[in-house]
Amino acid sequence: MSALPGTTGRRRIYLMRHGFVDYTSAAVRKARDPKVAELTERGIAEARAAGAALADVHFDIAVCSGLKRTRQTAEIVLAEHPRAPVLEVEERLGELRSGSYMDFHSAEHLAAVMTFTFEQAGEPGAEFLPGGERFADALIRIRAGLTDLLHRPNWACALVVAHEVVNRMLLADVIGAPLGASVGFEQDTGCINILDFDMVPDEAGMGTRIERGVIKAVNLTPANYLKNGMNLRSLEAIFTRPSEGAE
């Protein structure tokens, strides 16, 4: 099993959130489906900044959720790597399924609804909007996707590009926090989290198990490391139209 230099069984995941998209765009409204959202100019700039920051990191594996916004972000980051691995899709790291499309009166209205939704994530049976995927069910598939990745042979460092709520849930889960704690992990667009996992032989000697996970860094934003002027919470900012003043 490959491992980070100087360690015996440690693997690292650079977990990113995709760059900025406009969920209030005409294309999303027409399709009535946020899955069609793609990076804006701001989102492209965030991905390029992340790519520059990660230019010296050697990735053995690169994974995205498959949605266009994560694929675009990953491709921009990997463009900084002449010998980049082939980008793979792990659908289990996809954004939570939200049921029917939600009509909204304004970006502020949508942000308020989504904030309330995430704050209830730890409640029994809580859903991602009415009729959507249950947070507890989503955590099972997200955890399975991460676990299968960690048990793959012959790699030490991976790029994973996913989504805000997916990342929040993973970060809480890594430290053994309850699902409701995920609301406390901010995930700005284009951010980078660094997670290390120690893999050790299992008791039967037939494979490996995850001994521990450690968060090395959270919500790094290479486009603005000190977050100067970034005064909105991530759920507020993502539903702000590009024309409404950049953070």
Side-chain angles (χ1 to χ4, degrees), residues 13-241:
I13 293 178
Y14 288 87
L15 175 66
M16 285 190 62
R17 183 188 179 187
H18 59 79
F20 188 85
V21 301
D22 183 7
Y23 291 112
T24 67
S25 69
V28 173
R29 286 172 176 266
K30 181 178 180 180
R32 298 177 65 82
D33 187 353
K35 292 187 180 68
V36 306
E38 57 185 68
L39 298 188
T40 63
E41 290 184 7
R42 170 180 161 185
I44 291 171
E46 290 172 342
R48 285 175 176 163
L54 295 168
D56 293 331
V57 177
H58 173 74
F59 293 122
D60 303 300
I61 296 175
V63 177
C64 72
S65 75
L67 292 184
K68 187 172 184 179
R69 54 192 185 268
T70 64
R71 184 182 294 275
Q72 289 177 307
T73 301
E75 288 174 346
I76 291 171
V77 171
L78 293 175
E80 299 288 337
H81 295 74
R83 294 182 296 277
V86 175
L87 181 61
E88 304 175 34
V89 171
E90 175 50 86
E91 294 182 348
R92 287 175 293 183
L93 298 179
E95 188 61 282
L96 273 66
R97 296 181 288 274
S98 59
S100 59
Y101 179 75
M102 186 185 103
D103 289 313
F104 52 89
H105 309 301
S106 65
E108 292 78 14
H109 169 227
L110 184 55
V113 171
M114 296 301 288
T115 297
F116 176 80
T117 298
F118 288 144
E119 287 176 344
Q120 305 305 306
E123 298 298 321
E127 298 175 330
F128 185 56
L129 300 177
E133 185 175 16
R134 294 196 308 172
F135 283 93
D137 293 337
L139 179 58
I140 292 172
R141 65 159 169 92
I142 293 166
R143 184 187 287 151
L146 177 69
T147 299
D148 285 354
L149 173 62
L150 287 169
H151 282 97
R152 285 174 56 172
N154 304 321
W155 70 272
C157 188
L159 171 70
V160 176
V161 184
H163 304 266
E164 174 168 26
V165 66
V166 173
N167 292 3
R168 286 173 179 257
M169 293 166 70
L170 277 176
L171 289 164
D173 197 51
V174 164
I175 61 172
L179 186 54
S182 61
V183 73
F185 287 97
E186 281 283 85
Q187 289 291 279
D188 294 309
T189 50
C191 75
I192 302 169
N193 308 281
I194 306 173
L195 310 179
D196 281 357
F197 294 89
D198 287 332
M199 309 295 294
V200 298
D202 63 21
E203 288 76 4
M206 301 297 291
T208 60
R209 62 179 175 83
I210 304 169
E211 184 177 46
R212 71 176 61 84
V214 175
I215 299 175
K216 300 284 283 189
V218 176
N219 198 26
L220 301 175
T221 46
N224 184 353
Y225 274 118
L226 297 182
K227 301 184 185 292
N228 183 34
M230 295 176 65
N231 304 324
L232 299 179
R233 291 188 294 110
S234 57
L235 281 173
E236 296 169 334
I238 193 61
F239 297 115
T240 300
R241 292 182 177 88

